[in-house]
Amino acid sequence: MTKTAKTIKIGPLTIGGNNPVLVQSMTNTHTCDIEATIAQIERLTAAGCELIRVAVPTPQDTAALPAIIKAVKIPLVADVHFHYKRALEAIEAGVVKIRLNPGNIQDRQQVNEVIAACKANGTAIRIGVNEGSIVESKDKALRQQELNRPLAELMVEKMGEYLDIFDSCGFDKLILSAKCHDARTTIDVNRLIAQRFELPIHLGVTHAGLPAAGGVRSAVALGVLLEEGIGNTIRVSLAGDPINELSVAWEILTSLGLRKSWKPEMIVCPTCGRCQVNLLDMAQQVEAALVGVRKPVTVAVMGCVVNGPGEAADADLAICGGHNKVAVYKGGELIATAGCEEGIAILLKEIEKL
Ligand code: SF4
């Protein structure tokens, strides 16, 4: 249950209110490489992405948008920085939302033109405030004075200033985002935003890092906020293949019970001195076999009889290591005891039937 009162239509999606928290990601291809961008979006869609953002730094990128929009199944968001013309071109091309940091476009008239185009086309705007762009004063003393104040407060103040611009144009098809690279400030700033404004919130920890550290940082920040009812769409931003972002995002939402899982869940023991099988190899084979399965089944891969049969009882399928052999379970029932290779082959055959 979110605290947001307002709901916004983003193309075919509805965000805010009591609607499900949406999962989004961003491509890392050059958008003008149409083939590569479509291929990546298709992979991300299959992994559970519901809204996808693409960067449009050049006119070649915005020129590619119509072909991409036509080819893919999920709505497209254009990420605009600095040049308002890219925003106008993307809106014209048919994106459902643009991400705009008004602080990056100094000419107010240009911002007004973008707002007018969004109004005319029903395009939503995500207003971004990033910690990096927060203190703009050229006066050193003033800058220091500002920096002595909590960053979260400064970001919310800046968000208020941006919102005044949109308010004066009578535009409220807005989503708010305040991005920081640390979990603590992300929690603080989004709590303040949720208290002060009634618009949907996009949550994410920016530049979170490589998958292990970034996944934890994102899970901590987003987990706390979502549990408090704050946040209507999430992006877990991780360095590398964006496909990794989706599994973390879905894990966060399903762990909190905010979305139902649609894909298999694997339970794998960490192994210890009791394990006598190559558990990592077995788990990797199972993981590979589950790619493409779109059912919320549970598959357990366990190292020994200490916890194996217990997990197997609750899993749809399970394999449990013994002394150079394994036991395979289906629906909690033992269906085979075999050597490791034969046992894993039996389990993979069962996965094929899912
Ligand atoms: S299931 Fe067995 S091998 Fe795996 S961690 Fe537990 S005791 Fe160790």
Side-chain angles (χ1 to χ4, degrees), residues 218-240:
S218 300
V220 168
L222 275 51
V224 167
L225 290 163
L226 290 164
E227 183 60 15
E228 293 176 9
I230 298 169
N232 307 91
T233 176
I234 64 171
R235 189 229 170 164
V236 172
S237 62
L238 300 176

Side-chain angles (χ1 to χ4, degrees), residues 269-276 279 301-308:
C269 89
T271 77
C272 68
R274 297 180 188 90
C275 185
Q276 296 184 51
L279 192 96
V301 183
M302 302 297 292
C304 80
V305 292
V306 172
N307 292 313

Side-chain angles (χ1 to χ4, degrees), residues 286 289-290 293 299 317 346-354:
V286 171
L290 288 172
V293 175
V299 183
L317 289 169
I346 293 167
L347 184 77
L348 297 185
K349 266 216 152 34
E350 290 296 331
I351 289 173
E352 272 176 30
K353 295 182 199 164
L354 290 171

